Amino acid sequence: MPVAIITGASKGLGRALGAALAERGWDLVLDARTGEVLEETAAALSAYGTRVRALPGDVTDAGHRAGLVTAARELGGLDLLVNNASALGAEPLVRLEALTLEGLRHALEVNVVAALGLIQEALPLLRASRAGTVIDISSDAAAEAYETWGGYGASKAALDHLSAVLGEEEPGLRVWAVDPGDMGTDLYTAAVPDDDDPRPAPASVVPAFIGLLDERPASGRYGASALSALPAGR
């Protein structure tokens, strides 16, 4: 069975993507900081009959990242790494004049440094896979200038560039930076708690991710409009 590591997998997009992969027979290694919620998610996804390993921890911890890759190796290898764990840098978001440098450092540490660290740890297994793939979850804030989204957007822009370079350096892999569009997630609520406008559920974008895995287009950045042009996964 193919094996995936998904960070930030206890809720939102990470959990929804994990459920879709488990339904298709993927074995999973799941990460999140909150152990109790992660264990509940792992139990729910195990109901699909696949092997699920839940490792609570912080992706900024090198030892935790190594543990995630070790768990994948024990399941037989690694075919897909999804860097979904993210940090805002300030909750709620603030204008740049009020963004603490420590907050910006934290966003960069989680969204860029930890993502690269996990990629580096996972590369030998991904290269050994017949369809090694990295998905880095990006944001429209990486490409557009929205008031108060400067720190988070800068970190996601850095992740986009890192993904693009990795795609050039690793032609045997697929490396996609994916902007899934607006979603109703805990992250968005923490970013803009006063915004009561309804947003799509994370599960609504999962068929597009499965479509990416099915179609395997060239490495690159895929925004919401490009995702919608792909055939939805079954």
Side-chain angles (χ1 to χ4, degrees), residues 121-204:
E121 192 79 31
L123 268 178
L125 294 184
L126 291 168
R127 288 169 177 154
S129 168
R130 288 186 301 175
T133 301
V134 177
I135 297 179
D136 292 326
I137 302 301
S138 185
S139 166
D140 58 345
E144 302 291 339
Y146 302 122
E147 187 175 353
T148 74
W149 289 83
Y152 177 79
S155 69
K156 290 296 185 179
L159 180 64
D160 280 2
H161 194 72
L162 180 152
S163 305
V165 172
L166 183 67
E168 293 294 323
E169 293 178 346
E170 299 289 340
L173 305 182
R174 289 291 188 272
V175 183
W176 302 313
V178 178
D179 162 22
D182 280 350
M183 296 181 295
T185 63
D186 287 357
L187 185 82
Y188 186 83
T189 299
V192 195
D194 295 332
D195 186 351
D196 296 325
D197 289 344
R199 282 177 160 71
S204 66

Side-chain angles (χ1 to χ4, degrees), residues 12 17 34 36 41 46 48 73 86 91 139 146-147 159-160 179 189 195 202 204 219 231:
L17 183 56
T34 308
E36 184 176 343
T41 294
S46 295
Y48 290 100
R73 185 179 295 109
S86 295
E91 298 182 10
S139 166
Y146 302 122
E147 187 175 353
L159 180 64
D160 280 2
D179 162 22
T189 299
D195 186 351
S204 66
S219 296

Side-chain angles (χ1 to χ4, degrees), residues 50 53 61 165 198 202 222:
T50 60
R53 302 287 185 267
D61 178 349
V165 172
Y222 290 82

